[in-house]
């Protein structure tokens, strides 16, 4: 596509237009996906709780999220008089920008990636570590008690689980031998007996795949780790003072992050855009469909967990992060690297 | 050499993302003024509290453990940062490089065990 | 062309946000400007071809160090009047420091103009330019610079222990959850089946 625009519009401008279109092709469907996935989330909880869920707006309630969006859009933006105006409005912008930005390096199919950088995984880690700021700034700028408590909790929780996520990523990089996301997917081709394309089916990597799934729940503050929004203690958490689209942006950002984490689960452990089985006819199905399918399954597990598991207590949350996940993921770095040294790189021979 | 042309889309993406989210925040503010939904009152603009005026400044002093978590996070994050180049070049550096990293990890595990024993990781 | 433009963009923002870091009245704003400066410095690193360093800048400085700064300035009840009172007290040391920094700056500039520093033999780029950043660093850091690397590990260890010693307080009267004990508890330890006579209670 870039070539097409460059031949018609000149090298510089054509490149600009082509990339702008590509970016919008990522960002706009992402927002649509967020709207649909909020609906899916509510439907899944409803089904698990034997309720109907949203079913009024549009066929099967499919347009519920858009109705909510329109309602929120027409609301008044309330800026508390005690708040710090500039930062108060900046916090949702940061949250949403960061949630969008990480998608720049996610490969949707073979070669279908906006920015194919060598340090792709590090980039995702770096961008997701910025997510703390939206929360902390909103909590502080609100100048209100509950948002502030919630922001501090959220920050401590996010950084605690980022540690083990970092070590888990290292195990994956060790196995793939590269930190380029496309390379990590390619390394999963036929990884199990030449049949299955998934790291997670590798007995050595399966435990950290589980660990990563749980850590991503904690990192996105989903149930059972949604202490930041524990409504019995903290009202609505750091979003208490927000209204209108500023409030909705937190929601959109949160769900965009959830989808991102699902995508990462799919990329790192379930073969990304590769079909689950290394069998030629399956490769006729476009990779992007496999990828979306995997994201969908992962998201279903996210909402399944949310509908069934009770919320953790804060001390239990910190204990799980620091005393269980951190040692295990650290030990796994040792285990995976040792195994690779012996088998793949021939340390003993 | 780093392929800078791969980073340019990211810069562009940053611009687009900021633009989209700014529109989302500021456009409804304008729309609310036009539709007449914008009616601030003193009670509406007060900070949230369960029906009474707040007793004290909301930005209170916090438990020192939050700082400790942040400091430990920095240290482990740095440790992870050292692991990244090691993970991709393991084949090249061989068993000597592997042993080097194990010594490094051992140094930090000592610190971790100390933190555990002292009770720095305890919450109640 | 666009590289030059990006360089001036990042460099200008770094300088401006650095200045705002110093001049901002509110310490929280200061830290936020500092974060912006870090972020743009990462952009400069990418332009210089050091993508790994750029990512590290974001992960470590923006994602970790600045979070700590933010924690500190947000949660400490900083009394601004008291801060201003301290200003005069530390003025002398501040000026001494500034003078030393100025001297260093001048010396540095003079040394730069005097020509390249020669320490040992000049080597050409040690690693092939086609090798990705990450692998180039890995190939050197864990073999040639082992001792520096292990020393970094020791410094981190000292930092960790120091931070714990300084901030950890034993708190009394808390009842932390003992998970192992809870899991080990069996029905036999806690439940007794009794058939008390009518009119008689149960001894606990």
């Amino acid at each position: 596509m870039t070539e097409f625009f460059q031949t018609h519009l000149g090298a510089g401008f054509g490149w600009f237009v082509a990339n702008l279109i590509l970016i919008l092709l990522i960002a706009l469907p992402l927002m649509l996906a967020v709207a649909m996935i909020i609906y899916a989330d509510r439907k899944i909880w409803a089904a698990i709780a034997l309720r109907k869920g949203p079913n009024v707006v549009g066929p099967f309630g499919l347009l519920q999220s858009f109705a909510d969006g329109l309602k929120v859009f027409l609301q008044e933006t309330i800026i508390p008089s005690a708040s710090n105006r500039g930062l108060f409005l900046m916090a949702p912008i940061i949250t949403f920008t960061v949630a969008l930005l990480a998608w720049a390096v996610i490969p949707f199919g073979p070669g279908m990636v906006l920015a194919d950088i060598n340090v792709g995984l590090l980039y995702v880690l770096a961008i997701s570590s910025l997510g703390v700021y939206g929360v902390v700034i909103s909590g502080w700028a609100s100048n209100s008690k509950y948002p502030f408590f919630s922001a501090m909790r959220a920050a401590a929780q996010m950084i605690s689980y980022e540690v083990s996520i970092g070590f888990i990523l290292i195990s994956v990089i060790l196995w793939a031998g590269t930190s380029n996301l496309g390379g990590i997917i390619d390394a999963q081709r036929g990884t199990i007996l030449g049949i299955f394309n998934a790291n997670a089916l590798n007995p050595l990597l399966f435990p950290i795949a589980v660990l990563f799934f749980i850590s991503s729940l904690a990192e996105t503050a989903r149930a059972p780790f949604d202490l930041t929004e524990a409504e019995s203690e903290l009202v609505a958490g750091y979003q208490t003072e927000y209204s209108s689209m500023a409030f909705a942006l937190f929601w959109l950002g949160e769900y965009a992050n959830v989808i991102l984490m699902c995508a990462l689960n799919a990329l790192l452990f379930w073969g990304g855009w590769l079909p689950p089985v290394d069998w030629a006819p399956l490769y006729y199905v476009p990779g992007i469909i496999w990828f979306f399918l995997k994201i969908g399954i992962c998201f279903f597990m996210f909402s399944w967990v949310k509908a069934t598991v009770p919320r953790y207590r804060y001390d239990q949350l910190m204990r799980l992060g620091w005393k269980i996940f951190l040692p295990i993921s650290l030990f796994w770095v040792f285990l995976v690297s040792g195994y690779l040294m012996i088998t793949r790189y021939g340390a003993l021979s | 050499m780093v392929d800078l042309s791969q980073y340019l889309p990211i810069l562009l993406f940053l611009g687009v993302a900021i633009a989209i989210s700014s529109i989302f925040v500021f456009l409804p503010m304008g729309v609310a003024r036009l539709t007449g939904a914008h009616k601030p009152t003193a009670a509406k603009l007060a900070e949230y509290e369960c029906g009474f005026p707040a007793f004290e400044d909301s930005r209170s002093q916090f438990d020192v453990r939050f700082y400790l978590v942040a400091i430990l996070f920095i240290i482990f994050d740095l440790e992870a940062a050292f692991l990244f180049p090691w993970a991709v070049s393991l084949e090249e550096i061989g068993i000597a490089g592997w042993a080097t990293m194990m010594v490094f990890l051992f140094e930090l595990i000592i610190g971790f065990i100390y933190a555990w024993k002292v009770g720095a990781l305890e919450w109640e | 062309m666009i590289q030059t433009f990006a360089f001036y963009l990042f460099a200008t923002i770094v300088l401006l946000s650095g200045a705002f870091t110093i001049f901002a009245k509110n310490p929280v704003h200061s830290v936020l400007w500092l974060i912006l400066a870090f972020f743009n410095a990462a952009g400069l690193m990418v332009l210089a071809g050091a993508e790994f360093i750029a990512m590290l800048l974001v992960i470590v400085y923006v994602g970790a160090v600045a979070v700590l700064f933010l924690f500190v300035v947000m949660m400490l009840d900083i009394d601004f009047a008291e801060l201003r009172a301290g200003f005069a007290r530390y003025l002398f040391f501040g000026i001494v420091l500034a003078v030393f920094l100025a001297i260093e700056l001048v010396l540095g500039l003079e040394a730069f103009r005097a020509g390249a520093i020669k320490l040992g033999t000049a080597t050409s780029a040690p690693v092939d330019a086609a090798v990705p950043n990450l692998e180039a660093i890995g190939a050197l850091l864990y073999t040639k610079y082992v001792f520096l690397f292990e020393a970094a590990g020791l410094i981190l260890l000292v930092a960790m222990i120091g931070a714990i010693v300084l901030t950890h307080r034993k708190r009394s009267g808390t009842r932390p959850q003992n998970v192992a004990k809870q899991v080990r508890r069996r029905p036999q330890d806690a439940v007794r089946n009794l058939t008390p006579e009518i009119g008689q209670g149960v001894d606990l």
Side-chain angles (χ1 to χ4, degrees):
Chain A
M1 193 169 95
T2 312
E3 286 81 35
F4 171 79
F5 280 102
Q6 280 182 334
T7 48
H8 285 81
L9 295 169
F13 189 63
W15 181 92
F16 177 76
V17 171
N19 272 284
L20 203 61
I21 291 172
L22 283 179
I23 288 166
L24 291 178
L25 269 180
I26 294 176
L28 297 180
L30 180 66
M31 285 188 266
L32 191 67
V34 166
M36 288 329 288
I37 221 149
I38 291 174
Y39 164 77
D41 217 9
R42 294 173 67 178
K43 271 292 193 196
I44 292 168
W45 303 336
I48 289 175
L50 283 179
R51 290 182 286 111
K52 278 203 163 134
N55 63 351
V56 174
V57 192
F60 308 106
L62 268 170
L63 299 175
Q64 181 66 46
S65 298
F66 299 100
D68 289 345
L70 190 67
K71 181 202 112 184
V72 152
F73 187 84
L74 294 173
Q75 267 179 346
E76 172 191 6
T77 306
I78 299 169
I79 305 173
S81 46
S83 71
N84 197 317
R85 277 182 83 92
L87 289 180
F88 185 81
L89 291 175
M90 220 173 74
I93 296 180
I94 293 176
T95 305
F96 194 62
T97 305
V98 164
L100 283 181
L101 204 55
W103 286 88
V105 297
I106 302 289
F108 293 96
M112 281 171 72
V113 53
L114 183 68
D116 186 20
I117 57 175
N118 281 319
V119 288
L121 203 48
L122 273 162
Y123 173 82
V124 174
L125 190 66
I127 295 296
S128 67
S129 71
L130 297 180
V132 178
Y133 287 109
V135 177
V136 171
I137 291 173
S138 68
W140 186 81
S142 297
N143 199 359
S144 175
K145 201 165 281 168
Y146 301 103
F148 188 59
F149 287 158
S150 159
M152 286 306 141
R153 273 191 184 186
Q157 168 182 349
M158 279 174 164
I159 59 178
S160 297
Y161 280 85
E162 233 166 72
V163 173
S164 45
I165 284 184
F167 288 129
I168 292 166
L169 294 186
I170 283 162
S171 295
V172 175
I173 293 177
L174 273 168
W175 194 262
T178 172
S179 70
N180 179 305
L181 283 166
I184 289 173
I185 292 172
D186 273 331
Q188 295 183 43
R189 198 183 292 268
T191 181
I192 308 299
L193 309 168
I195 302 172
F196 297 109
N197 300 326
N199 266 340
L201 295 176
N202 183 334
L204 187 64
L205 294 180
F206 179 72
I208 57 166
V210 175
L211 231 60
F212 186 72
F213 180 76
I214 301 172
S215 300
S216 44
L217 286 176
E219 182 72 11
T220 51
R222 287 280 292 194
F225 306 107
D226 56 349
L227 286 128
T228 53
E229 294 154 41
E231 59 272 9
S232 49
E233 306 162 17
L234 291 175
V235 195
Y238 53 86
Q239 315 156 345
T240 303
E241 300 287 359
Y242 282 86
S243 61
S244 181
M245 256 340 242
F247 169 77
L249 273 192
F250 279 115
W251 267 83
L252 292 175
E254 211 168 277
Y255 272 92
N257 272 330
V258 168
I259 304 177
L260 177 75
M261 275 299 170
C262 288
L264 275 184
N265 268 296
L267 283 174
L268 300 177
F269 292 103
W270 299 99
W273 38 260
L274 292 172
V277 179
D278 197 18
W279 182 46
L282 288 181
Y283 282 95
Y284 287 112
V285 180
I288 193 163
I289 290 180
W290 288 118
F291 186 51
F292 286 165
L293 207 62
K294 284 169 185 175
I295 292 179
I297 292 171
C298 184
F299 181 76
F300 177 74
M301 287 173 63
F302 264 63
S303 25
W304 190 2
V305 168
K306 180 156 184 165
T308 44
V309 184
R311 186 179 290 138
Y312 263 59
R313 219 170 51 210
Y314 200 67
D315 64 315
Q316 293 171 328
L317 173 92
M318 295 309 257
R319 180 177 165 276
L320 186 72
W322 286 100
K323 289 192 166 180
I324 298 177
F325 280 18
L326 177 61
I328 292 180
S329 54
L330 198 54
F331 178 69
W332 237 264
V333 170
F334 163 75
L335 205 67
V336 171
S337 63
Y339 177 80
L340 286 178
M341 274 326 283
I342 292 168
T343 57
R344 201 187 290 174
Y345 304 135
L348 295 182
S349 58
Chain B
M1 199 49 214
V2 178
D3 191 2
L4 281 180
S5 67
Q6 296 293 346
Y7 280 93
L8 203 50
I10 294 180
L11 188 61
L12 201 58
F13 203 139
L14 180 65
V16 172
I18 290 177
I20 291 178
S21 24
S22 306
I23 289 172
F24 270 151
V25 170
F26 293 111
L27 192 63
M29 291 170 73
V31 169
R33 281 200 168 73
L34 291 180
T35 57
H38 182 75
K39 286 194 217 91
T41 60
K44 198 191 274 176
L45 297 185
E47 70 262 44
Y48 181 86
E49 191 57 82
C50 304
F52 46 82
F55 296 135
E56 53 188 355
D57 189 20
S58 60
R59 287 165 190 163
S60 50
Q61 214 158 6
F62 241 72
D63 198 330
V64 75
R65 279 179 303 183
F66 281 93
Y67 307 117
L68 191 55
V69 166
I71 293 171
L72 287 178
F73 169 62
I74 293 177
I75 289 162
F76 280 102
D77 216 32
L78 270 170
E79 191 183 342
F82 274 117
L83 280 162
F84 278 106
W86 171 77
V88 292
S89 59
L90 192 59
E91 186 173 6
E92 207 172 326
I93 55 181
I95 190 80
W98 184 77
T100 307
M101 183 49 84
M102 288 308 125
V103 175
F104 179 79
L105 287 185
F106 179 69
E107 285 167 6
L108 279 144
I109 288 169
I110 295 174
F112 183 64
I113 292 171
Y114 174 76
W116 192 314
K117 286 287 164 214
V118 165
L121 305 175
E122 296 285 346
W123 290 70
E124 70 283 319
Chain C
M1 200 280 282
I2 210 147
Q3 230 159 308
T4 328
F5 171 74
F7 172 79
Y8 280 112
L9 178 72
F10 290 142
T12 319
I13 299 179
V14 167
L15 289 178
L16 280 181
S17 47
F20 281 126
T21 308
I22 300 166
F23 293 122
K25 283 234 171 69
N26 190 331
V28 174
H29 293 181
S30 265
V31 174
L32 293 174
W33 283 117
L34 187 66
I35 292 165
L36 189 63
F38 283 148
F39 206 71
N40 283 283
L44 286 177
M45 285 294 175
V46 170
L47 283 179
E51 49 181 359
F52 177 57
I53 304 292
M55 294 305 149
L56 274 197
L57 251 177
V58 178
I59 293 176
V60 174
Y61 280 91
V62 182
V65 175
V67 171
L68 178 71
F69 286 176
L70 216 53
F71 264 38
V72 172
V73 295
M74 278 185 180
M75 297 198 294
L76 287 181
D77 254 339
I78 294 171
D79 191 350
F80 292 106
E82 211 172 295
L83 262 183
R84 298 232 171 71
F87 183 74
R89 203 146 49 93
Y90 296 113
L91 190 62
F92 176 69
F93 296 103
I95 289 172
V96 169
L97 231 117
V99 167
F100 270 105
L101 280 177
I103 291 171
E104 269 181 15
L105 262 178
V106 170
L107 283 179
L109 277 177
E110 285 303 310
F112 178 75
R113 263 197 283 169
I117 305 167
K118 282 211 178 69
L119 293 170
T121 50
T123 50
S124 56
V127 189
D128 184 12
V131 175
N133 236 268
L134 215 51
E135 282 163 43
I137 291 174
L140 281 178
L141 187 60
Y142 310 104
T143 49
K144 196 174 173 191
Y145 299 109
V146 174
F147 291 107
L148 290 176
F149 173 62
E150 299 295 0
L154 281 179
I155 290 171
L156 283 180
L157 177 63
V158 171
M160 194 188 315
I161 292 175
I164 293 168
V165 169
L166 285 177
T167 59
H168 185 61
R169 302 272 177 279
K170 261 275 181 278
R171 51 194 64 237
S172 54
T174 59
R175 291 191 295 172
Q177 185 184 17
N178 188 343
V179 175
K181 197 177 157 198
Q182 288 182 353
V183 171
R184 266 204 315 272
R185 192 172 156 101
R186 295 279 152 243
Q188 298 87 286
D189 309 335
V191 180
R192 275 186 305 162
N193 272 332
L194 295 174
T195 44
E197 299 283 319
I198 292 167
Q200 283 178 332
V202 178
D203 286 326
L204 282 175

